[in-house]
Amino acid sequence: MAYEKIAGIKCYLSPVREEDADLWANWLNDLEVAIPLGDEAYRVISTEGLREWIRNIGEHTHAFNIVQRDTDRLIGRCLLFALNHVNRSAMAGIFIGEKDCWGQGYGEEALRLLLDYGFTILNLNSVMLGVFSFNTRAIACYKKIGFKEIGRRRQARIIGQKKYDSIYMDIL
């Protein structure tokens, strides 16, 4: 059972649990889900490794499940990590693992909820994220929320014979 920690209209954010690791492993071992995330695509993600990660979440990471409101179905994960309380900054990460939920606004709402938590509860000043240039859907979502491009590492990701930039974005 998912517990509602941060409420939205389409979805809510719920604390992560060790038993979620099976579903996360399914998502993260699906290349269609994993390639836009980065290094997850280049290794097999084990359920036990994810359980260990959940058990060892420290004070510098705040991770949440994304849960579809009308069905209480776990559909993704988001997190704030690399928290720096001196400079009031963090990195954000998000993915929707259930492909039938892609393009329906769940990621946008979940990220808005996560940012509200970061800025209001954790008292952050800035949140940064990275995205690959081929992930146009994510880039459009981030810009709609208010993220601005702050840098680019050219041809940083090579998939097959194609080269893509890593784009760095932040929001204040």
Side-chain angles (χ1 to χ4, degrees):
M1 172 178 189
Y3 297 98
E4 188 174 309
K5 176 86 174 181
I6 305 166
I9 296 167
K10 296 173 71 89
C11 64
Y12 60 90
L13 304 185
S14 177
V16 299
R17 305 165 306 161
E18 283 186 50
E19 52 267 30
D20 303 324
D22 289 323
L23 186 54
W24 290 8
N26 287 339
W27 293 334
L28 293 171
N29 286 303
D30 179 338
L31 288 177
E32 198 173 1
V33 174
I35 285 174
L37 300 177
D39 293 338
E40 290 86 352
Y42 300 100
R43 55 191 168 97
V44 174
I45 306 293
S46 71
T47 298
E48 187 49 45
L50 289 169
R51 282 194 183 115
E52 182 71 18
W53 182 84
I54 291 168
R55 281 192 294 270
N56 292 314
I57 291 175
E59 66 183 64
H60 298 289
T61 300
H62 292 256
F64 298 97
N65 286 315
I66 303 167
V67 183
Q68 191 176 43
R69 176 163 295 292
D70 58 351
T71 64
D72 288 322
R73 177 173 72 141
L74 178 58
I75 62 170
R77 183 186 78 194
C78 60
L79 65 155
L80 292 168
F81 63 99
L83 267 78
N84 180 321
H85 293 292
V86 173
N87 295 306
R88 297 176 40 215
S89 63
M91 296 281 297
I94 184 170
F95 71 89
I96 302 296
E98 294 296 333
K99 292 186 256 186
D100 65 321
C101 294
W102 288 2
Q104 296 183 36
Y106 292 107
E108 179 186 341
E109 183 175 75
L111 187 52
R112 287 183 189 277
L113 294 171
L114 183 69
L115 290 171
D116 184 53
Y117 173 80
F119 290 129
T120 305
I121 304 300
L122 301 179
N123 197 32
L124 296 175
N125 181 62
S126 71
V127 175
M128 186 176 104
L129 55 77
V131 61
F132 299 117
S133 59
F134 64 81
N135 197 347
T136 56
R137 190 176 70 234
I139 294 166
C141 173
Y142 302 150
K143 286 181 178 179
K144 184 177 180 182
I145 290 171
F147 279 87
K148 306 284 187 220
E149 184 174 328
I150 57 170
R152 188 177 280 255
R153 185 169 176 210
R154 297 175 300 145
Q155 299 182 8
R157 179 63 66 184
I158 301 171
I159 302 171
Q161 297 302 311
K162 295 185 178 180
K163 298 171 184 162
Y164 302 96
D165 294 354
S166 286
I167 301 169
Y168 300 97
M169 305 177 83
D170 76 354
I171 189 168
L172 302 175

